[in-house]
Amino acid sequence: MAVTLKDVAQRAGVSRSAVSRAFTDGASVSEKMRKKVEKAAAELGYSPNALASSLTTGRTKLIGLVSNNFHNPVFLEVFDLFTRGLQEKGLRPLLVNLTDETDPENSVRMLRQYSVDGVVVASSTLSPGFAEAFREAGVPVVHSFGRQTSTPGVHVVGIDNIECGRMAARELVARGYRSVAFLGGPKTATSTQDRHEGFMAELKKHPDIRVGQSFASAYSFEAGRHEMQRLLQGELAEGYFCGDDVLSIGVLSALQDAGRKVPQDVGIIGLNDMEMAGWQNINLTTIRQPIPEIILASLELMEAMLSNPDRHPEARIFPCTIVERGTLRPRP
């Protein structure tokens, strides 16, 4: 039979409430008492019941980790860092897939059924309305990889996507490309909109350069590959800024099948610097989004909100850098 709290109390010679306090963070209990209880628990092989503890404290320590683009390999890295980071802080991640969800209120109802203590919206493609819906429901929320704003309604941690678009344009111009194009993800994604805006704004400074644009149906390998296959039916630009790395990899696949050489015939720059981008057979030049730093800041904000739910919302925006590999021609 399972060892109970009562068994530990009898072995330690203390009350059941003393055992409960010994396993409750922040509870009033002497160090001598705690060690006595822990020794008895170890001898009996007892582990505190997290669900029972939540009934006592009113805290589940569950953090909803919400996203929607599970086909993008970069989110394997994101989820790995988030889940390990939450567990190291004594919190428990509850992974929620909102790929087909369009109504923020539905996601709020679902997460509240699990009595989550907080929510991290880990997506650049979910609308800001999802994070705001949690805030309005009184649930502590952080929007990771969210849209930059000077007056955030919720905590936002991410990058300046407009500046990333500008960076990509400057890089293509500096390498001598005379016709360039933006190949983005879905038009509805705020990250696509901002990267496109920055790219086009920077290229307005260079009216002698021909500029094109197109959009894939999703941030996925297949969507990137399909869009480049469509573009191959016409005249290609010399260089492309792809909305993220997984789109870029799909584009590289289509170009290879068509016998086009990269970077000799076509140059490609991506965004994210996901692990696959550095693989030898891909070797993608890209803009590094500092994912570990973004996740660490998101976890710090969530932990702070659990202590102070009324903490004023802030935006933490991290700079990006170019990672040069082999898919753009050398600078002249």
Side-chain angles (χ1 to χ4, degrees):
M1 294 179 63
V3 179
T4 66
L5 183 144
K6 180 180 178 180
D7 297 328
V8 176
Q10 290 177 341
R11 171 65 68 95
V14 300
S15 67
R16 281 181 287 184
S17 63
V19 176
S20 179
R21 292 197 306 276
F23 288 111
T24 301
D25 292 338
S28 177
V29 61
S30 69
E31 188 62 24
K32 180 179 179 181
M33 176 72 75
R34 188 186 303 279
K35 288 182 178 179
K36 183 185 291 188
V37 170
E38 289 176 348
K39 181 175 183 293
E43 291 171 352
L44 294 172
Y46 171 80
S47 295
N49 186 310
L51 293 177
S53 175
S54 69
L55 294 174
T56 302
T57 63
R59 295 276 297 273
T60 63
K61 296 187 179 182
L62 276 175
I63 303 298
L65 183 55
V66 173
S67 193
N68 61 330
N69 189 4
F70 281 64
H71 295 292
N72 193 328
V74 74
F75 280 97
L76 294 177
E77 301 174 32
V78 169
F79 295 147
D80 175 53
L81 291 170
F82 257 126
T83 52
R84 285 194 285 127
L86 287 167
Q87 289 164 186
E88 287 169 2
K89 293 181 178 297
L91 301 170
R92 295 191 289 277
L94 176 66
L95 193 59
V96 179
N97 187 341
L98 295 185
T99 297
D100 297 320
E101 186 56 76
T102 58
D103 183 359
E105 296 302 326
N106 288 338
S107 61
V108 172
R109 283 192 290 271
M110 177 171 59
L111 269 295
R112 294 188 82 170
Q113 288 176 355
Y114 291 96
S115 300
V116 295
D117 287 342
V119 170
V120 174
V121 178
S123 173
S124 64
T125 55
L126 279 173
S127 78
F130 279 84
E132 291 164 3
F134 286 111
R135 178 205 63 197
E136 291 168 5
V139 179
V141 60
V142 176
H143 192 174
S144 299
F145 309 100
R147 194 175 205 174
Q148 181 187 21
T149 173
S150 58
T151 56
V154 301
H155 292 290
V156 175
V157 186
I159 60 174
D160 183 343
N161 281 297
I162 293 176
E163 177 57 23
C164 285
R166 290 183 178 276
M167 288 175 67
R170 288 195 293 267
E171 197 66 22
L172 291 171
V173 170
R175 291 170 189 262
Y177 291 99
R178 308 311 299 167
S179 67
V180 300
F182 175 78
L183 196 163
K187 287 184 179 181
T188 55
T190 59
S191 54
T192 301
Q193 295 165 9
D194 290 349
R195 292 165 193 175
H196 176 253
E197 178 185 336
F199 187 77
M200 292 302 191
E202 186 67 25
L203 287 164
K204 282 184 179 179
K205 302 175 184 177
H206 304 276
D208 55 321
I209 295 178
R210 185 158 53 90
V211 184
Q213 61 186 23
S214 64
F215 301 88
S217 60
Y219 281 113
S220 70
F221 172 88
E222 286 300 334
R225 177 178 164 83
H226 178 77
E227 184 58 22
M228 179 48 69
Q229 287 173 331
R230 186 187 71 81
L231 292 171
L232 279 161
Q233 296 172 18
E235 183 181 356
L236 291 185
E238 294 178 4
Y240 284 86
F241 169 41
C242 296
D244 82 341
D245 288 350
V246 73
L247 278 178
S248 303
I249 295 170
V251 165
L252 290 172
S253 174
L255 289 169
Q256 182 180 33
D257 286 353
R260 303 295 181 95
K261 294 182 179 180
V262 177
Q264 294 90 334
D265 299 329
V266 183
I268 303 294
I269 182 171
L271 192 152
N272 272 335
D273 194 30
M274 59 190 283
E275 182 183 356
M276 290 171 62
W279 291 1
Q280 187 176 2
N281 63 325
I282 296 173
N283 200 31
L284 177 68
T285 298
T286 188
I287 297 171
R288 178 182 181 267
Q289 178 170 207
I291 291 174
E293 291 92 329
I294 290 171
I295 291 172
L296 179 60
S298 300
L299 292 172
E300 289 174 351
L301 283 172
M302 176 52 64
E303 194 171 37
M305 286 197 73
L306 294 178
S307 301
N308 178 18
D310 297 325
R311 181 187 175 98
H312 188 71
E314 65 176 285
R316 296 189 184 181
I317 305 301
F318 289 82
C320 294
T321 53
I322 301 287
V323 178
E324 183 167 358
R325 295 193 179 99
T327 56
L328 288 182
R329 66 171 66 144
R331 285 174 176 260

